[in-house]
Amino acid sequence: PVPTINAILTRVNPQHYYLHNILESIKPLHESYSLVVSRVYRKMRFSGALSFLSSAVLMQQNVDFAYAFAFTPPSSSSNIQSFGKRGIHKHDNAFFHPTTIPGLHMTQSSQQANANPFEALLNLFQKNGNGPSPSSLLSSSSSSIATQGELIVKSFINSINSKQDPSELIQFFNDDVNYVDGEFYNPIIGKEELLRHFYLHQGSSSLSTGSDAKIVMEDMVVSSDEEGIVKVFVLYHMENSDVDGDGDGDSDSDSDSRMISDSQAITYYSVNVNEEKITRIFDVKEPPSPKPGDNGLQLLKTVSKVLDKGNVDADADADSGSDSDSDASKEDVKASSTSSSTVDQYFKAWNRGDMNEATSLFAQDCVLRDTQYPGAFNGRNEVEAHLSNVNECLPSSFQFIIDELVTISSSEAGIREKVGALWHVENGGDDLAFTRGCSFYTTDAKTGLIQSGLEIPEKALPKSGVLNTISSTFNAEPIRYLPAAMWVAYMVIVFFSDGILPGANALQLEERTWIEVRDLSINFFLVSPLLHLPFSPTVHPMLEGVFNLLLSWAAMFAGFLSDDRKNKPNLLPFGPIVIGMQFLTSAFLLPYLALRSEEKDTGAIVYKEDISGEIQAKVSEWRPLGPFLGTVGTGAIVWALIGRPEFGDFSERYSTFADLMSIDRVGSSFLVDLAIFAMFQGWFIDDDLQRRGVQSDDMVVLRNFAKFVPFFGLATYLSFRPELPSRDEN
């Protein structure tokens, strides 16, 4: 029963994601009890150190069995066979023991090296000896392989719905995974890049954690081959969960779980059952309202003469490919994945431009939904009009190429087959960017014609994934609008305006400006003038002092490189930002402050090794960083006051410096940067102390000194803050 499973789930160690999601997936009682038992046993056999609570929901004909049992497999030094001696412990006011339940007692002779401790349990369901044997239940037939792949996909989806951490989600994938989310521009290749994507874009698309929405599967088609590769198409939509806001994620009423508009989507999965890993994902979701409709088609029609590469032999493209090596490889994929099914014939008719034949493959009462349009096309006449309209607008050289086609028989009333298709568009044999898509069809049980169809093409530009991430970031913390607005104002005023700041704007490329920048750079950190190097130019000491104070202050932000970690990536990596601040200061700092990822208080320990990049970790946690840069900045102030005696006493040099600032865009922009640094240096302090394990009410003096004392407060903080621990030290 589902309540029993829910109770069990609260006691399963969430780190054992596989077992946890097995229990989640059997809630609807759709899974075969034999598969559940075999998969739990298989995992337990290879993980002798696991400690977990499991459940077997067992059903046959009119008898419903629900035995919840707890066990602790022995340590790695013991043998898993001893499970039979340990017995079954008390749970939910019931007490079971192997000797009290027929079939659960395991004799000594059955406890061999590879004995299945659930064999007797399975025998409970051999009613009158007519049930399936354990050996047949645990067979590795094609159907079993497909079911295992289906279970892995469902477990992944359940993990997303249960908002598991990306570090848990990533365990579903192999090292070379190819992950395409239609909301983003580029495919994600490799496990490490996918982990970064999951952390960075939580809640920004359907296949991500961090949102209040949940994935609700509508339908699924699954096929497998003898090599253990399972192909799965999942049709789903998104629903709002926990509408009542109680935080429990449960649906307290029908209104607590509502379908989100424009959220229907199809995902293609490729699963290697032998590795128990997902190797490929392609996910595409319908576009938001208002739907593009005919607008995109009219644009294509306008430019079709430019795009059209001439007539091509559609049959040749669909059946034999082109003569090039790349097209030959594509043909290998198509030959292995397509068949002479109705849907396959539909695509071939499309590519020939034969809309009459394409339409004839639909049932009279069919329903076709093209998500580019707001409504469905009902009946063959509406479908014919729609197909003809699309065909008229598309260049004749466009071909729809099937990459994967999965067809399964259906036992549902009125349906013969369910078909999932992954496809892309080519123009004269060349792939067109952002023209991929997925479709889901059913065929009529009597005629074999297409009864229903859902076609979801890839979203056109611009993609919304990154925009969703930015939007959710600003919505969660509206204070981010402050540095964003200041960055816009800074760029306009400092680089492009006339009359707000003294001097010529950057677009005028004034020679005096570039000479000044060159001379200040040569005297970086005052090394050249202090060593009296012959090439050291003479610059006003107060301008030199401001310049070097600013650069030493900018360099101190390197002490916060721990803000960019494997489990906290940022849209703008902080390492390059700190380097850029040595050249364009606030032009780099302000957008980083606006877009940086939130530092979540998870209670997890942050280690030096978590920082992105070995060099960044060393620089960030280098204890002399604060004292060294504090000394440089202090020296710059002293130099401004007494350096270069030929510039006179304080009043004289201040007067000449003021005159210089009245005409100098570079120097006046330095003063603006100093004010911005003073305003925002405190933004890093609380988060930095949090990841060092310091509570919000601890180290108050150092915290406030760092926040509110410009420059010197930051130098002091970097000198005395707690160090991040190292895994090597631990």
Side-chain angles (χ1 to χ4, degrees):
V2 171
T4 302
I5 299 176
N6 285 334
I8 294 169
L9 282 170
T10 63
R11 299 177 61 184
V12 176
N13 188 336
Q15 292 181 353
H16 305 322
Y17 74 95
Y18 199 98
L19 295 167
H20 189 277
N21 287 300
I22 286 177
L23 298 178
E24 282 281 8
S25 66
I26 64 176
K27 279 186 182 181
L29 303 183
H30 289 164
E31 310 303 332
S32 161
Y33 72 84
S34 62
L35 176 64
V36 172
V37 172
S38 67
R39 301 298 284 178
V40 171
Y41 166 66
R42 184 175 178 183
K43 271 302 182 181
M44 182 187 70
R45 185 178 61 180
F46 290 112
S47 304
L50 289 181
S51 176
F52 62 91
L53 184 67
S54 185
S55 170
V57 177
L58 311 172
M59 301 179 61
Q60 182 174 358
Q61 297 181 4
N62 298 325
V63 182
D64 292 353
F65 294 88
Y67 291 114
F69 55 91
F71 60 90
T72 303
S75 64
S76 56
S77 61
S78 303
N79 193 308
I80 196 67
Q81 304 156 356
S82 61
F83 163 77
K85 299 177 182 178
R86 287 172 175 261
I88 299 178
H89 305 294
K90 186 175 182 180
H91 179 70
D92 287 347
N93 300 318
F95 183 80
F96 301 110
H97 190 276
T99 58
T100 62
I101 300 179
L104 283 186
H105 180 64
M106 294 180 62
T107 63
Q108 188 67 29
S109 61
S110 69
Q111 298 172 14
Q112 301 173 355
N114 293 319
N116 181 354
F118 291 99
E119 180 178 357
L121 185 63
L122 296 177
N123 289 336
L124 281 172
F125 306 95
Q126 299 185 45
K127 199 170 186 179
N128 300 323
N130 297 323
S133 66
S135 59
S136 64
L137 289 170
L138 302 178
S139 65
S140 297
S141 64
S142 176
S143 175
S144 176
I145 292 174
T147 308
Q148 292 178 40
E150 177 182 337
L151 178 59
I152 291 173
V153 170
K154 287 184 176 180
S155 296
F156 171 66
I157 294 174
N158 287 334
S159 294
I160 293 176
N161 286 340
S162 60
K163 299 178 174 59
Q164 286 196 10
D165 188 81
S167 62
E168 300 291 337
L169 288 181
I170 201 67
Q171 302 305 319
F172 284 94
F173 300 92
N174 73 343
D175 292 337
D176 302 318
V177 60
N178 185 314
Y179 186 100
V180 177
D181 188 332
E183 299 292 315
F184 295 86
Y185 290 96
N186 299 316
I188 300 122
I189 307 298
K191 201 171 181 178
E192 290 299 319
E193 282 300 311
L194 183 57
L195 179 62
R196 182 180 187 276
H197 175 84
F198 279 156
Y199 273 119
L200 187 58
H201 299 291
Q202 294 187 61
S204 296
S205 63
S206 302
L207 298 184
S208 63
T209 60
S211 69
D212 292 331
K214 65 179 181 180
I215 297 173
V216 178
M217 290 182 287
E218 299 180 17
D219 214 333
M220 177 183 290
V221 292
V222 185
S223 71
S224 63
D225 59 26
E226 296 179 354
E227 296 179 356
I229 304 300
V230 178
K231 300 172 183 178
V232 183
F233 283 90
V234 176
L235 171 62
Y236 70 93
H237 67 268
M238 305 298 295
E239 290 185 1
N240 283 316
S241 58
D242 197 27
V243 177
D244 58 349
D246 58 10
D248 59 8
D250 295 332
S251 297
D252 300 331
S253 67
D254 291 340
S255 64
D256 278 346
S257 184
R258 301 171 181 172
M259 181 175 177
I260 299 174
S261 60
D262 303 325
S263 68
Q264 203 162 28
I266 300 174
T267 308
Y268 167 76
Y269 297 84
S270 178
V271 182
N272 187 324
V273 171
N274 298 322
E275 298 179 359
E276 298 181 356
K277 300 293 183 181
I278 299 172
T279 60
R280 184 185 178 193
I281 281 183
F282 179 87
D283 180 74
V284 61
K285 190 177 80 170
E286 67 174 303
S289 296
K291 305 293 186 180
D294 286 333
N295 294 333
L297 286 177
Q298 293 304 319
L299 177 61
L300 274 175
K301 186 176 182 180
T302 303
V303 301
S304 60
K305 292 183 179 180
V306 177
L307 293 175
D308 199 331
K309 292 188 176 183
N311 293 325
V312 295
D313 189 338
D315 289 330
D317 283 342
D319 297 328
S320 61
S322 65
D323 295 333
S324 66
D325 292 339
S326 60
D327 287 343
S329 64
K330 290 176 185 175
E331 184 57 32
D332 290 339
V333 175
K334 286 181 282 184
S336 65
S337 61
T338 60
S339 65
S340 58
S341 67
T342 305
V343 172
D344 189 29
Q345 296 175 45
Y346 167 57
F347 273 81
K348 290 178 179 179
W350 244 114
N351 291 336
R352 288 193 300 270
D354 189 345
M355 293 302 103
N356 290 330
E357 181 179 347
T359 303
S360 69
L361 296 172
F362 284 83
Q364 287 290 349
D365 58 346
C366 64
V367 177
L368 176 65
R369 183 165 178 243
D370 182 342
T371 57
Q372 296 292 100
Y373 293 83
F377 300 96
N378 298 293
R380 183 182 286 181
N381 291 336
E382 289 190 12
V383 170
E384 181 179 16
H386 169 63
L387 297 184
S388 299
N389 179 43
V390 175
N391 182 61
E392 181 183 349
C393 296
L394 293 181
S396 60
S397 58
F398 275 24
Q399 299 282 293
F400 288 83
I401 308 301
I402 296 177
D403 299 306
E404 300 290 351
L405 190 66
V406 174
T407 302
I408 62 170
S409 299
S410 174
S411 59
E412 295 183 23
I415 297 177
R416 176 183 296 181
E417 292 178 331
K418 296 179 181 180
V419 184
L422 171 65
W423 47 266
H424 70 276
V425 179
E426 293 182 359
N427 184 22
D430 297 328
D431 291 352
L432 283 175
F434 311 123
T435 59
R436 299 163 294 186
C438 283
S439 301
F440 204 99
Y441 305 95
T442 63
T443 60
D444 183 77
K446 294 181 179 179
T447 64
L449 300 177
I450 297 174
Q451 181 67 46
S452 66
L454 174 66
E455 299 176 338
I456 307 181
E458 184 176 7
K459 186 180 184 301
L461 302 181
K463 302 280 189 174
S464 59
V466 174
L467 296 177
N468 290 340
T469 299
I470 295 174
S471 176
S472 62
T473 299
F474 277 79
N475 291 337
E477 297 180 303
I479 192 65
R480 294 173 182 269
Y481 285 104
L482 176 60
M486 290 192 67
W487 179 77
V488 174
Y490 178 88
M491 297 299 293
V492 172
I493 293 172
V494 170
F495 293 100
F496 306 114
S497 70
D498 288 313
I500 301 177
L501 286 181
N505 66 57
L507 298 179
Q508 297 185 24
L509 302 176
E510 192 176 42
E511 182 180 2
R512 189 186 65 81
T513 299
W514 297 110
I515 293 175
E516 186 177 69
V517 171
R518 180 201 65 190
D519 292 348
L520 288 170
S521 300
I522 293 174
N523 291 348
F524 176 75
F525 277 13
L526 303 173
V527 174
S528 295
L530 288 174
L531 296 178
H532 303 288
L533 298 178
F535 55 80
S536 176
T538 299
V539 183
H540 195 291
M542 280 197 164
L543 181 60
E544 286 180 313
V546 170
F547 174 74
N548 286 285
L549 172 64
L550 180 63
L551 292 192
S552 60
W553 201 346
M556 274 200 282
F557 286 93
F560 299 114
L561 286 170
S562 58
D563 197 57
D564 200 342
R565 307 187 302 278
K566 296 174 183 177
N567 63 348
K568 186 190 171 297
N570 297 283
L571 281 173
L572 303 176
F574 199 28
I577 290 292
V578 172
I579 295 174
M581 288 171 63
Q582 293 297 305
F583 300 93
L584 292 177
T585 55
S586 300
F588 279 84
L589 175 64
L590 290 172
Y592 179 79
L593 291 174
L595 298 175
R596 63 186 283 262
S597 301
E598 178 187 1
E599 185 72 58
K600 298 179 180 179
D601 187 7
T602 61
I605 299 175
V606 176
Y607 294 94
K608 294 178 182 178
E609 293 80 4
D610 295 332
I611 301 174
S612 299
E614 184 177 351
I615 295 177
Q616 292 183 204
K618 291 181 178 179
V619 172
S620 175
E621 297 305 305
W622 187 47
R623 181 62 77 181
L625 182 66
F628 170 70
L629 294 174
T631 301
V632 172
T634 302
I637 295 173
V638 173
W639 180 266
L641 298 176
I642 64 175
R644 300 192 189 279
E646 64 270 24
F647 280 81
D649 58 14
F650 174 77
S651 61
E652 185 177 355
R653 65 178 59 205
Y654 177 77
S655 177
T656 56
F657 178 66
D659 292 339
L660 177 62
M661 290 299 98
S662 66
I663 61 170
D664 189 17
R665 175 63 62 97
V666 173
S668 58
S669 68
F670 290 162
L671 299 180
V672 173
D673 286 323
L674 290 175
I676 291 175
F677 281 12
M679 181 183 300
F680 289 106
Q681 79 170 24
W683 278 42
F684 290 94
I685 303 301
D686 287 335
D687 287 348
D688 191 63
L689 286 174
Q690 176 183 303
R691 55 181 166 258
R692 295 169 193 278
V694 179
Q695 300 300 318
S696 58
D697 55 351
D698 292 338
M699 303 187 72
V700 176
V701 175
L702 181 62
R703 185 190 301 267
N704 291 333
F705 191 71
K707 283 183 177 181
F708 304 116
V709 179
F711 183 76
F712 295 104
L714 187 55
T716 303
Y717 173 78
L718 294 178
S719 303
F720 295 102
R721 67 181 178 178
E723 289 189 76
L724 288 178
S726 171
R727 286 191 172 87
D728 294 336
E729 294 172 359
N730 286 352

